[in-house]
């Protein structure tokens, strides 16, 4: 444009020099019009230059940024033109160009003022548009936040709230317009006490002008059973002069899932602590119970049939048996019992156990079987799995005092099935499901959350130990599974057991147990037993019980004493040793003894939950383990199985 305007000016000068024709009726010549066009071209070029985008020519930033490279040539040329115009305008008005020059100067000044005003107005408009765009982006971001935000005015009404706030407060519609004096939601403290409208965080911040931070409240819409736990911050805002509170900004963080995880963690830690306690005291309790059972059996065999003390001895034995069952249940809960897992068809185990449940439940509680059409293969301890089913059925019976029906169902789920617990890892064939459901009284939330705790029961005193579901929990956990309770008051209870499903043919049915001899029989003189036990009372019971049956018994209180006896070339037919003892353990003693006698039979005794037998390679010789507490008849039967029947 600048070059074209200069060329037009040159053309106008050339035309003026060669031929100055006049236009009829106008006080101007043709060259004047050409010069005017050139002048307009100069202004147009300057305008275009000022409107052009600023280009970054320094190379240190993207195009469109950086300082402008201004060209001063149009300014210089425009200045020369203005000087010439002013020179013409100051001449006497008789000159034909004087009015035109003065008009051009005046119009140029008007254009400059207009451009300045337009530029200022444009800047203001751009700022307003940018502010509006920023506000729209801010509102959009607030609307998509998971954190609830609300602004409370000085009169205690919600003026602004995002959708998350409405959802967290349990309201379907908008929160705007809600009043703190009559809220549409109920607020409670962490311990369940209601919070009045005047004590809610926003109301406190309005009244006191102090911020309320990190306050945990429970929010529930009236008539709704769902309660959400929120972490609330209420920040007051004041006017510019620091006067009264103009508004309160409230943020609501949903911590319901976080609290649930905390409760689960505390529950797990509590269960683990009880389990460790049970496992820790099991050894001492089992030693004491074995001694009580042994002494009562020995005393019973020494008393005559008509002795009146026989009944008292029987009462001692029954009490000891009950205590032994409690210890076994605690060990099951603590997941420290000895398991003998085998490959089983879950459906077959349920069918076999159902025959026992008919007598357990009675005629007024029929059993409904909903078993999967295909075999469901699991690897568990058959006896423990049967105990799980019996315990669940027994609890269901107690929950239906007026009768009902019990449903036992099985199914196999794939690993991706949404029904299985998210944290549960299934087996190579997916997840095996065992579900026992009743139509009884059901449980509330508090009872359901404590159902697996040992000794927790809702039954009357003396009608339950509170170990039924705790035992189920321990067995399932130790078997690599999970157990879930679904219950509500008046809607019955459904207990679902998830186990890893495996692949393979089921194991053969267990052999029928043979009756062990209950009366002492004489053994051959050469049958010698070395009994190693650190507990003196238990050691004496074992010695007397075996001698009563005709065995020759050598006793040792420690592994070192037993090593001395074995190393003295004494003839020993069987080594009977405790697993855990001070100064060593039974498997290590047995391994050392078999370096001298590779074929020496070994019978291990354990009152501990941890099975140490499988940690040691005791060789191909016969090795067995008897769990404390045991009675003399059981011990004699195990010994007879190792070295032959007595006599």
């Amino acid at each position: 444009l600048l070059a074209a305007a200069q060329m037009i000016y040159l053309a106008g000068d050339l035309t003026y020099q060669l031929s100055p024709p006049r236009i009829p009726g106008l006080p101007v010549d043709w060259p004047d019009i050409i010069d005017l066009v050139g002048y307009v071209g100069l202004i147009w070029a300057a305008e275009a230059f000022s409107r052009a985008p600023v280009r970054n020519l320094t190379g240190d930033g993207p195009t469109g940024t950086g300082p402008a490279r201004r060209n001063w040539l149009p300014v210089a040329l425009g200045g020369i033109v203005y000087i010439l115009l002013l020179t013409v305008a100051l001449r006497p008005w008789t000159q034909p160009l004087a009015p035109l020059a003065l008009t051009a100067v005046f119009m140029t000044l008007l254009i400059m003022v207009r451009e300045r005003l337009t530029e200022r107005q444009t800047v203001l408009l751009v700022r307003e548009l940018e502010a509006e765009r920023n506000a729209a982006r801010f509102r959009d971001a607030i609307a998509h936040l998971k954190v609830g935000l609300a602004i409370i005015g000085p009169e205690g009404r919600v003026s602004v709230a995002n959708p998350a706030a409405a959802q967290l407060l349990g309201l379907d519609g908008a929160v705007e317009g809600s009043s703190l004096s009559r809220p549409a939601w109920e607020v409670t403290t962490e311990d369940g006490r209601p919070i009045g409208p005047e004590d809610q965080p926003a109301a406190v911040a309005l009244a006191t002008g102090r911020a309320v931070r990190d306050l945990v409240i429970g929010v529930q819409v009236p008539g709704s059973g769902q309660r959400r736990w929120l972490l609330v911050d209420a920040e007051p805002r004041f006017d510019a002069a620091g006067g009264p509170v103009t508004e309160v900004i409230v943020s609501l963080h949903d911590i319901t899932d976080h609290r649930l995880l905390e409760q689960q963690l505390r529950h797990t830690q509590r269960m683990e602590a009880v389990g460790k306690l049970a496992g820790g005291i099991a050894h001492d309790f089992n030693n004491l119970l074995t001694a009580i059972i042994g002494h009562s059996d020995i005393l019973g065999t020494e008393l005559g049939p008509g002795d009146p003390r026989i009944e008292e001895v029987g009462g001692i034995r029954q009490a000891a048996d009950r205590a032994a069952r409690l210890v076994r249940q605690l060990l099951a809960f603590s997941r420290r019992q000895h398991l003998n897992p085998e490959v089983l068809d879950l459906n077959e185990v349920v069918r076999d156990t159902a025959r026992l449940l008919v007598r357990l439940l009675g005629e007024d509680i029929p059993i409904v079987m909903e078993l999967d059409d295909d075999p469901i293969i699991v690897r568990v301890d058959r006896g423990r799995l049967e105990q799980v089913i019996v315990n669940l059925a027994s609890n269901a019976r107690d929950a239906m005092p007026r009768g009902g029906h019990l449903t036992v169902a099985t199914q196999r789920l794939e690993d991706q099935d949404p029904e299985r617990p998210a944290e549960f890892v299934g087996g190579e064939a997916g997840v095996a499901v065992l579900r026992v459901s009743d139509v009884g009284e059901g449980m509330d939330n508090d009872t359901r959350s404590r159902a697996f705790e040992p000794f927790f029961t809702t039954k009357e005193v003396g009608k339950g130990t509170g170990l039924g579901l705790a035992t189920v929990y321990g067995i399932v956990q130790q078997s690599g599974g999970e157990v879930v309770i679904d219950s509500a008051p008046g809607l019955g209870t459904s207990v679902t057991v998830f186990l890893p499903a495996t692949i393979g043919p089921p194991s053969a049915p267990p052999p029928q147990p043979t009756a062990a001899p209950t009366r002492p029989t004489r053994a051959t003189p050469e049958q010698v037993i070395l009994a190693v036990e650190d507990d003196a009372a238990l050691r004496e019971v074992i010695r007397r019980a075996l001698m009563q049956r005709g065995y020759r018994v050598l006793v040792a209180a420690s592994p070192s004493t037993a090593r001395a006896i074995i190393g003295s070339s004494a003839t020993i037919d069987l080594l009977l040793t405790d697993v855990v003892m001070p100064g060593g353990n039974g498997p290590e003693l047995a391994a050392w003894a078999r370096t001298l006698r590779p074929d020496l039979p070994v019978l291990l005794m354990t009152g501990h939950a941890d099975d140490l037998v499988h940690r040691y390679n005791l060789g191909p010789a016969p090795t067995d383990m008897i769990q404390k507490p045991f009675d003399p008849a059981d011990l004699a039967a195990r010994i007879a199985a190792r070295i032959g029947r007595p006599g």
Side-chain angles (χ1 to χ4, degrees):
L1 286 176
L2 178 63
Q6 295 297 327
M7 293 298 295
I8 292 173
Y9 254 103
L10 291 175
D13 287 341
L14 182 60
T15 303
Y16 184 79
Q17 295 294 334
L18 296 178
S19 171
R22 286 185 171 274
I23 299 177
L26 292 177
V28 294
D29 298 330
W30 281 106
D32 296 333
I33 298 177
I34 298 175
D35 288 339
L36 181 60
V37 173
Y39 171 74
V40 174
L42 286 175
I43 297 178
W44 191 4
E47 180 75 9
F49 181 82
S50 65
R51 293 293 181 182
V54 178
R55 297 182 181 276
N56 181 13
L57 304 179
T58 61
D60 57 356
T63 301
T65 62
R69 296 290 297 273
R70 184 167 296 281
N71 187 356
W72 291 100
L73 179 60
V75 178
L77 293 177
I80 295 173
V81 171
Y82 277 112
I83 292 174
L84 293 176
L85 287 174
L86 289 174
T87 302
V88 174
L90 293 176
R91 290 180 179 179
W93 282 79
T94 57
Q95 295 293 332
L97 292 180
L100 180 61
L102 187 59
T103 302
V105 172
F106 180 72
M107 292 299 296
T108 303
L109 293 176
L110 288 180
I111 291 174
M112 293 175 63
V113 173
R114 181 191 64 81
E115 290 296 330
R116 181 59 179 170
L117 294 176
T118 302
E119 180 181 359
R120 179 178 298 177
Q121 191 67 22
T122 302
V123 169
L124 294 177
L125 180 60
V126 168
R127 290 177 179 174
E128 291 177 0
L129 291 176
E130 187 66 24
E132 182 62 28
R133 282 194 293 267
N134 290 337
R137 286 196 296 268
F138 181 75
R139 287 193 298 268
D140 184 68
I142 293 299
H144 288 83
L145 278 178
K146 298 300 182 182
V147 177
L149 291 177
I151 298 178
I152 314 296
E155 70 285 353
R157 289 189 175 274
V158 180
S159 58
V160 178
N162 65 344
Q167 181 181 4
L168 294 178
L169 293 174
L171 302 178
D172 296 332
V175 188
E176 286 87 347
S178 300
S179 176
L180 294 181
S181 60
R182 300 182 64 183
W185 53 85
E186 294 180 352
V187 182
T188 61
T189 60
E190 290 188 89
D191 56 3
R193 292 183 294 104
I195 298 178
E198 68 281 356
D199 296 326
Q200 293 191 21
V204 172
L206 276 174
T208 63
R210 293 192 300 268
V212 178
R213 297 188 179 95
D214 299 332
L215 179 65
V216 177
I217 62 173
V219 174
Q220 178 179 353
V221 178
S224 171
Q226 184 182 14
R227 183 181 301 276
R228 305 203 66 84
W229 294 98
L230 307 179
L231 183 65
V232 182
D233 290 334
E235 295 285 344
R237 289 290 180 266
F238 306 91
D239 58 16
V245 179
T246 57
E247 61 184 14
V248 174
I249 301 177
V250 180
S251 61
L252 309 171
H253 301 260
D254 189 359
I255 59 171
T256 305
D257 295 338
H258 180 71
R259 283 178 59 90
L260 179 61
L261 290 176
E262 284 185 344
Q263 292 174 357
Q264 292 175 348
L265 177 60
R266 287 194 296 268
H267 177 72
T268 302
Q269 292 174 338
R270 185 167 60 249
M271 303 279 269
E272 188 68 23
V274 175
K276 289 181 179 180
L277 176 63
I281 66 175
H283 179 260
D284 294 334
F285 265 88
N286 285 330
N287 282 347
L288 294 173
L289 292 173
T290 304
I292 294 172
I293 292 172
H295 281 300
S296 62
D297 278 13
I298 293 172
L299 182 59
T301 58
E302 293 178 350
L303 297 177
D307 196 310
R309 292 171 294 178
I310 288 290
E311 185 175 350
E312 282 74 11
V313 173
I316 295 174
R317 175 60 190 269
Q318 290 178 359
D321 288 340
R322 288 183 59 190
R325 284 195 296 271
L326 287 177
V327 173
R328 284 195 295 269
Q329 287 176 314
L330 282 175
L331 289 178
F333 162 75
S334 62
R335 292 166 286 168
R336 288 172 170 83
Q337 61 180 340
H338 176 65
L339 297 181
N340 293 310
E342 51 184 322
V343 179
L344 303 170
D345 181 4
L346 180 61
N347 292 332
E348 290 298 327
V349 177
V350 172
R351 291 191 188 98
D352 293 342
T353 311
R355 301 186 183 98
L356 302 175
L357 298 182
V358 173
R359 294 191 295 271
L360 173 68
L361 300 178
E363 297 180 355
D364 58 340
I365 303 180
I367 302 175
V368 179
M369 306 286 285
E370 297 178 356
L371 305 184
D372 198 278
D373 296 333
D374 300 323
I376 303 176
I377 308 302
V378 294
R379 189 174 186 274
V380 295
D381 187 304
R382 183 186 187 95
R384 301 308 180 207
L385 181 57
E386 292 174 348
Q387 185 179 0
V388 167
I389 300 173
V390 170
N391 283 10
L392 293 179
S394 177
N395 274 14
R397 176 201 61 193
D398 296 339
M400 297 184 290
R402 291 178 294 275
H405 65 272
L406 179 74
T407 302
V408 183
T410 62
Q411 67 178 127
R412 190 177 68 84
L413 305 177
E414 300 297 334
D415 285 339
Q416 296 79 17
D417 197 292
E419 289 188 29
R420 73 177 184 87
E423 67 280 1
F424 177 65
V425 179
E428 54 186 347
V431 179
V433 178
L434 168 66
R435 184 176 291 107
V436 179
S437 306
D438 62 59
V439 293
E441 301 170 351
M443 311 179 192
D444 56 23
N445 292 336
D446 182 65
T447 303
R448 188 174 66 249
S449 65
R450 301 184 58 190
F452 294 129
E453 293 183 9
F455 306 113
F456 173 77
T457 179
T458 57
K459 301 174 185 176
E460 299 178 8
V461 178
K463 293 189 176 181
T465 62
L467 288 174
L469 286 178
T471 303
V472 170
Y473 175 85
I475 294 174
V476 174
Q477 288 282 321
Q478 193 173 1
S479 302
E482 292 286 344
V483 57
V484 177
I485 296 180
D486 183 16
S487 182
L491 299 179
T493 300
S494 178
V495 181
T496 305
V497 175
F498 298 90
L499 294 170
T502 186
I503 301 174
S507 304
Q512 295 296 326
T514 58
T518 58
R519 300 296 300 171
T521 55
R522 304 303 298 176
T524 56
E526 58 270 10
Q527 288 180 312
V528 180
I529 298 172
L530 174 59
V532 187
E533 171 60 56
D534 61 296
D535 188 282
L538 182 56
R539 188 168 62 246
E540 178 62 18
V541 168
I542 294 173
R543 187 188 67 82
R544 291 185 58 186
L546 295 181
M547 288 181 63
Q548 192 182 54
R549 283 162 172 80
Y551 291 101
R552 181 183 172 197
V553 184
L554 304 177
V555 294
S558 64
S560 59
T561 305
R563 289 173 187 262
I565 295 175
I566 296 172
S568 65
S569 301
T571 300
I572 299 174
D573 295 289
L574 181 136
L575 174 62
L576 174 65
T577 175
D578 194 12
V579 172
V580 179
M581 295 176 290
N585 58 64
E588 289 178 347
L589 174 62
W592 177 84
R594 283 180 175 171
T595 61
L596 305 178
R597 286 271 312 276
D599 59 343
L600 178 65
V602 176
L603 179 60
L604 297 172
M605 303 177 292
T606 178
H608 272 279
D610 296 326
D611 180 14
L612 303 179
V613 177
H614 302 292
R615 302 184 187 180
Y616 301 90
N617 181 15
L618 301 183
T623 302
D624 198 2
M625 184 176 70
I626 185 169
Q627 190 80 28
K628 299 175 184 177
F630 52 79
D631 58 30
D634 291 338
L635 180 61
R638 292 292 188 92
I639 292 176
R642 301 277 77 79
I643 61 176
R645 293 280 176 190

